[in-house]
Amino acid sequence: MAHYKVSWEIDIEDVDTPREAAQLARAIMLDPSSEAVTFSVAGELIDLGEE
């Protein structure tokens, strides 16, 4: 079974701490209506919104 490094990036503004930025990013990622569906997998962009 292969192993992959998966990355997801988002710019977070208007928060006071790194923890708040992480919490907001997590909430956005878990929101079913979020459009955060593009990931970098081993250097290849994968858009899950096209499924």
Side-chain angles (χ1 to χ4, degrees), residues 3-51:
H3 290 81
Y4 296 95
K5 181 172 184 170
V6 178
S7 300
W8 175 72
E9 288 187 28
I10 185 171
D11 291 326
I12 299 289
E13 298 178 0
D14 300 324
V15 296
D16 295 321
T17 67
R19 182 173 191 82
E20 288 178 3
Q23 289 171 324
L24 182 53
R26 178 77 169 143
I28 291 167
M29 185 180 277
L30 293 176
D31 181 349
S33 66
S34 174
E35 294 182 13
V37 294
T38 302
F39 300 85
S40 175
V41 182
E44 180 180 346
L45 288 179
I46 308 295
D47 187 347
L48 298 179
E50 295 177 350
E51 292 183 346

